[in-house]
Amino acid sequence: MKRVARIALRCALVVLPRDRREWGDALLAELAETRGGLESMRWALGGIRVIVFSPHGLARLAALGVVVGVVGGTFGNHEVFIVVRRSGFGSWLPALALALPIALAGLAAAWFVLRRSRFAVASAFAFLAVVVAGSVISLANLSPVRPFFDDWQQAVGADDPRVSHHAQELRWNAAVGALGAALVLLYAARRQAKRD
Amino acid sequence: MARRRDTSPQTLAVFRAFLNGAWRYGYDLSRETGIPSGTLYPILMRLSSRGLLESRWEESASGRRRRGHRLTGEGIPYAEARLAEARTGSATAAAAARA
């Protein structure tokens, strides 16, 4: 159990900024002194709480979460774009023109937050703004989202109700995920800025 | 009413544990005061960022590297003042309760 505690604490250390790393290393060093598995787990969980909920830890975690979300979302949804494009529909381009600025705004905000830049809060606000705009367009099924998904449904089989359901699910997942990530990033960036 | 700084029972317990001026390790402090790591380290970090606590890496008797902490020259009188205030405060409260 001590080994598991050590691995968990070591993983949490990844989100600590360099100037706080010594405190994380101190927590890890003390873990070796704990007696018994339960005691070591309690120590590690307390340490993880300190690291993750510290202003800088949370900010870095949120920023890394946004990066993972953007990369994962791009990887997960690229197939939909490819299908529409290969089927000869032109709607993929306006849809990409909507998705790309959101992804780039997310990556830029994450970068500024990770760098503890003075633009961190402003960029997190900008990310939230484009996410809100994108989510409204997506959930209201406005252009360019609607023609894009119509084309996609046509490309993969419009008769299948599962396709329509899947398209709706994609839109909701993307909107809720992006809104959640943008809100957490903004909260974390503001908390970090206050501490700095 | 604004809450006074460094008057929580946990912070006072940490001050008390540090008063002899010796270097102390996190786990030993936690065992002595009964404060879990998730509460202890934010206190240590806060005191350190205000220059009241200093830390250094050292090799323990077991041969492992550990981070030792102690109050700085500025930290000791500060801790004594907070503890004295807490004692006065509790004595006043006890007297008020008896009256």
Side-chain angles (χ1 to χ4, degrees):
Chain A
M1 201 186 257
K2 202 165 186 168
R3 207 167 152 214
V4 174
R6 192 174 181 78
I7 292 168
L9 189 53
R10 213 177 256 283
C11 288
L13 288 184
V14 173
V15 300
L16 262 189
R18 203 166 295 161
D19 60 347
R20 294 272 161 155
R21 199 57 60 85
E22 293 241 306
W23 287 105
D25 289 341
L27 269 160
L28 195 61
E30 291 304 297
L31 178 68
E33 307 296 327
T34 55
R35 291 156 208 174
L38 202 65
E39 180 79 12
S40 64
M41 194 49 92
R42 208 177 294 145
W43 184 265
L45 287 176
I48 291 167
R49 189 162 68 94
V50 173
I51 293 165
V52 170
F53 291 105
S54 70
H56 298 113
L58 185 67
R60 287 174 73 88
L61 195 67
L64 291 173
V66 167
V67 172
V68 169
V70 167
V71 172
T74 306
F75 185 75
N77 295 327
H78 80 288
E79 210 177 299
V80 179
F81 280 90
I82 290 172
V83 167
V84 173
R85 190 173 167 229
R86 282 197 181 146
S87 304
F89 296 111
S91 59
W92 68 274
L93 201 59
L96 189 66
L98 175 74
L100 205 59
I102 298 173
L104 292 178
L107 291 178
W111 169 257
F112 285 129
V113 168
L114 283 171
R115 303 280 304 171
R116 281 155 74 176
S117 155
R118 62 199 170 98
F119 303 116
V121 176
S123 63
F125 258 121
F127 177 45
L128 180 64
V130 292
V131 163
V132 168
S135 300
V136 168
I137 292 170
S138 177
L139 295 179
N141 211 6
L142 302 174
S143 182
V145 173
R146 188 178 188 158
F148 173 70
F149 277 109
D150 284 349
D151 290 346
W152 179 59
Q153 275 176 252
Q154 214 171 317
V156 295
D159 296 337
D160 192 344
R162 280 176 306 177
V163 174
S164 162
H165 178 73
H166 185 51
Q168 200 176 349
E169 210 176 59
L170 269 180
R171 292 207 313 269
W172 272 98
N173 287 349
V176 171
L179 273 173
L183 282 169
V184 171
L185 187 68
L186 178 61
Y187 168 74
R190 282 168 61 95
R191 218 168 139 226
Q192 177 173 252
K194 259 186 217 165
R195 183 58 64 95
D196 283 341
Chain B
M1 202 174 93
R3 195 169 158 237
R4 288 211 57 181
R5 231 175 175 192
D6 302 325
T7 53
S8 72
Q10 291 88 350
T11 307
L12 293 174
V14 170
F15 281 152
R16 222 170 279 127
F18 271 125
L19 269 189
N20 65 4
W23 289 94
R24 307 295 310 270
Y25 301 123
Y27 183 58
D28 302 345
L29 277 172
S30 173
R31 281 179 69 86
E32 183 181 322
T33 58
I35 302 172
S37 59
T39 306
L40 176 66
Y41 275 78
I43 294 173
L44 298 181
M45 287 153 94
R46 199 177 65 230
L47 296 177
S48 173
S49 68
R50 285 159 51 202
L52 301 171
L53 188 83
E54 57 185 336
S55 307
R56 70 173 187 196
W57 285 103
E58 50 192 56
E59 202 161 300
S60 68
S62 58
R64 283 195 281 256
R65 244 165 58 95
R66 296 181 77 178
R67 188 107 169 126
H69 316 276
R70 74 172 179 187
L71 290 175
T72 59
E74 193 188 338
I76 291 174
Y78 180 83
E80 283 171 343
R82 291 289 85 78
L83 287 167
E85 272 176 21
R87 273 194 298 272
T88 314
S90 47
T92 312
R98 275 197 302 273

